[in-house]
Every structure is written in C-alpha cells, then in structure tokens.
C-alpha cells in the first residue's frame, strides 16, 4: 500500500485491451509500473505518470497487485515463469491477476508456482472487447482464493462494470470459455438464419426486426446481424482470436472427455474463414463461410 492508501499496481501487456485498462488504474490514483515487450507502447502511460520497468521482474519488485494482459498460454507462462519473469522478484502477499484468455490448467499451474513464493494468482478474463476496455465496462470473470480475489477487487473495479467471482483458480477462464461457446455457436445460428431468409425471399433486415424481441433475440443477432447485411466485416473481435479461444475450449473439453459438437463445427467453419484470408476480420465474417456453403460460386 502506498502512503496515499492506494495499492501499488503493475501492468504487463499494453495491447489493444491492456493500454486503456492500465489507463483506468492510473486514473484511479494507483501508483503504476508498466512493462511492455515493445517498449514504444509504454510512452503514453509514462507521460501520464506511470513508471516503466525493463522486465516483468522489474514490475514484480515494485508492485503488490500485478495485472497481465498478453496473448496466449505460453505468453503468460513466459511473463510469469520465464527469464526475468515475475517469479524472480515477486513479493510475499502479492497477487498476480491474469486477464488474458488462456487455458484454465495453465492458471492452476502458475498459481502453484506463485504460492511457493508466498504470492497467489487470480485469473480474471474479460468480455466486452476493446469498447468495454476503453469505457471500463468489461464483464470480468474471476477465479481464485477469496483473500486474493478481494485484494484484487479494487483494481478490477476500475476496469469492469460486472465482476463475478466464479470459484477457485481457473474458474474465470472456464466461464470465459463458456462465453466463447455461447457467442460463436449463437453467431452460427444468426448466419444461417440470414442465409435462409434470403434464400426464401424474405428481406433479412425484416426477419431480424420480426424475431429479435422474442425468444430468438441475442446480442449477436441485433449487433452483428445488421453489420453482416451492411457488408461491415471490420473487427470488433477477430476471427484469429476466436480460433485461439475455440482451441482452448476444445483442448479443455478433451481433458474431461466432454463432447462439444457445435463448438467443434463452428471452429471448423472459422478455419475455412482463415483459409480464405478472413483471419483478421471480425467474427461476423462467418457469414461469408455460410454464404459459400449456400450459394453457387
Ligand atoms: P494485442 O493487442 O495483440 O496485445 C497483446 C499484448 O501482449 C501486447 O502488449 C504484446 O506485446 C503482449 N505480449 C504477447 N506475447 C507476449 C510475450 N510472450 N511476452 C510479453 N508480452 C507479450 O491483444 P489484445 O486484443 O489486447 O488481447 C489480449 C488478451 O485479451 C488476449 O488473451 C485476448 O484473447 C483477450 N481478449 C481480447 C479481446 C479483444 O476484443 N481484443 C476481448 C476479450 C479478451 P507487444 O506490444 O510487444 O506485441
């Protein structure tokens, strides 16, 4: 705790999500130390008063709560347990809050390593995209021991509109992967309904209006449906990132022999999108894959 009563916070991974999230922590008055692999991305936060460290270990030496927001499981492993990683300088009582979307099992493994040093991990992946990150309205799904979660809570509150403690370490990632099953499988339904409406002579815009307030209503239908019809395939959330998350879903499902046929199907259809160069488009470009299945070339 600093003399102002604020937590000393660290933040690692200043990408699309991490940059605005770290900004909210700083704006709430917490002394902030940041690290980013590409140092140039620290400039904006440094101008606003953040300290820039040379490595994750440099962050760990200064902070009691350390947020990580990097890409995939091996990246979090590197930041925590790699050379110059957090484990090299973590303080007893410190809490690492991993907000990346990664494998639940990796979070459990890293928590065990941190506990050997008297620290702990909270996994806290998010939903809400770059807009949620900018507006501090993220839905945060957390897993971890209660004391560690409570220590992290004031920091999570600077970034999120909804914070749910889902259970022990790894539970936040499980909830996030459920979120990804729901959004991707629902999106496939939306794409099929649009193609079916068009093939059967109904204006798809009218179809959306007719059904969206009833039992078939969804965020995917009301937000991505019109974007598909307007030919807007710019990313809110990229196909490549969704494929990473569906890979995590299917790998975790494999560990418990859970059969998830709809998730496997939508993952294969997104693979076709990637094969057609749509990996950096928004997930709504799944509609192009469905169109290719429905319409002659
Ligand atoms: P991004 O813009 O690509 O940023 C990734 C960040 O991680 C960058 O700062 C990158 O550093 C850093 N990084 C990656 N690998 C690293 C490594 N091995 N060591 C050190 N730093 C590393 O990605 P993002 O969109 O912010 O996403 C971050 C996480 O949030 C992902 O797990 C993603 O699935 C999840 N998420 C994203 C969204 C979204 O809408 N974008 C929504 C919900 C959840 P450099 O600057 O050096 O590349």
């Amino acid at each position: 705790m600093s003399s102002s009563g604020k937590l000393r916070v660290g933040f690692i991974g200043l990408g699309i999500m991490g940059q605005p999230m770290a900004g909210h922590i700083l704006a709430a008055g917490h002394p902030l130390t940041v690290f980013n692999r590409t140092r140039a991305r620290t400039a904006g936060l440094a101008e606003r008063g953040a300290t820039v460290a040379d490595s994750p270990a440099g962050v760990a030496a200064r902070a009691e709560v350390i947020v990580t927001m990097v890409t995939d499981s091996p990246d979090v492993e590197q930041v925590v347990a790699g050379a110059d990683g957090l484990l090299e300088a973590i303080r007893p009582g410190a809490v690492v809050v991993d907000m990346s979307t990664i494998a639940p099992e990796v979070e459990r493994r890293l928590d065990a390593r941190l506990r050997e040093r008297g620290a702990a991990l909270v996994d806290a992946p998010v939903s809400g995209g770059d807009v949620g990150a900018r507006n501090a309205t993220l839905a945060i799904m957390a897993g971890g021991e209660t004391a560690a979660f409570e220590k992290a809570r004031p920091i999570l509150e600077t970034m999120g509109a909804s914070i749910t403690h889902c259970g022990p370490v790894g539970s936040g990632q499980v909830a996030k992967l459920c979120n990804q099953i729901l959004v991707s499988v629902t999106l496939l339904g939306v794409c099929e309904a649009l193609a079916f409406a068009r093939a059967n002579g109904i204006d798809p815009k009218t179809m959306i209006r007719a059904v969206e307030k009833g039992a078939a209503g969804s965020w995917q239908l009301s937000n991505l449906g019109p974007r598909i019809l307007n030919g807007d395939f710019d990313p809110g959330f990229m196909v490549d990132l969704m494929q990473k998350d569906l890979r995590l879903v299917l790998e975790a499902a494999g560990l418990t022999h859970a059969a998830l046929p709809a998730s496997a199907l939508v993952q294969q259809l997104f693979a076709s999108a990637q094969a057609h160069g749509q990996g950096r488009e928004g997930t709504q470009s799944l509609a192009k894959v469905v169109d290719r299945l429905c319409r002659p070339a």
Side-chain angles (χ1 to χ4, degrees):
M1 202 73 76
S2 70
S3 53
S4 60
K6 298 281 185 181
L7 286 162
R8 281 177 283 109
V9 181
F11 203 109
I12 296 170
L14 303 171
I16 291 174
M17 299 292 287
Q19 191 79 237
M21 290 163 70
H24 296 311
I25 297 171
L26 197 58
H30 298 282
L32 184 70
T33 304
V34 297
F35 168 78
N36 196 64
R37 186 178 55 183
T38 308
R39 196 180 171 101
R41 282 181 157 175
T42 60
L45 288 160
E47 267 169 34
R48 291 171 57 193
T51 302
V52 179
D54 289 332
S55 66
V59 174
R62 300 177 64 100
E64 324 161 66
V65 173
I66 302 151
V67 179
T68 53
M69 191 55 165
V70 294
T71 311
D72 203 345
S73 304
D75 305 310
V76 178
E77 283 186 301
Q78 190 183 343
V79 163
V80 176
D84 285 331
L86 296 176
L87 276 170
E88 291 192 8
I90 197 93
R91 291 156 170 248
V95 176
V96 175
V97 184
D98 180 34
M99 304 188 77
S100 330
T101 304
I102 70 159
E105 174 214 350
V106 171
E107 303 284 26
R108 292 180 201 117
R109 212 162 55 222
L110 292 175
D111 179 56
R113 299 279 307 276
L114 286 160
R115 280 183 182 281
E116 288 166 9
R117 305 292 308 274
L121 184 135
V122 170
D123 55 306
V126 303
S127 162
D130 57 332
V131 176
R134 281 199 301 276
N135 296 340
T137 53
L138 293 167
I140 301 176
M141 305 152 221
E145 180 230 319
T146 302
F149 170 73
E150 289 302 336
K151 182 158 186 180
R153 190 200 283 275
I155 304 308
L156 297 176
E157 282 171 348
T158 68
M159 299 179 271
S162 121
I163 300 162
T164 308
H165 187 196
C166 302
V169 174
S171 309
Q173 295 295 352
V174 173
K176 168 69 185 184
L177 296 181
C178 290
N179 184 83
Q180 298 308 70
I181 294 171
L182 288 162
V183 298
S184 59
V185 173
T186 304
L187 176 60
L188 179 56
V190 169
C191 295
E192 287 194 1
L194 293 175
F196 181 78
R198 199 183 288 114
N200 286 276
I202 302 183
D203 176 2
K205 284 196 175 113
T206 308
M207 182 277 288
I208 293 178
R209 218 173 51 243
V211 308
E212 70 181 341
K213 298 279 189 275
S218 68
W219 188 94
Q220 310 293 313
L221 180 67
S222 297
N223 291 279
L224 296 184
R227 291 180 70 177
I228 292 167
L229 296 176
N230 291 333
D232 173 3
F233 297 105
D234 286 348
F237 190 69
M238 267 191 293
V239 169
D240 284 344
L241 273 183
M242 181 58 92
Q243 281 298 68
K244 178 201 67 145
D245 293 355
L246 287 171
R247 188 200 82 228
L248 295 169
V249 166
L250 296 173
E251 282 172 3
L255 295 176
T256 57
H257 304 293
L260 302 180
S263 301
L265 174 63
V266 78
Q267 192 266 349
Q268 289 294 298
L269 294 170
F270 275 126
S272 168
Q274 289 176 303
H276 282 81
Q278 299 163 225
R280 299 190 69 78
E281 292 186 352
T283 51
Q284 70 273 23
S285 88
L286 185 64
K288 294 186 192 171
V289 177
V290 172
D291 270 355
R292 285 196 289 269
L293 294 172
C294 294
R295 286 207 274 214

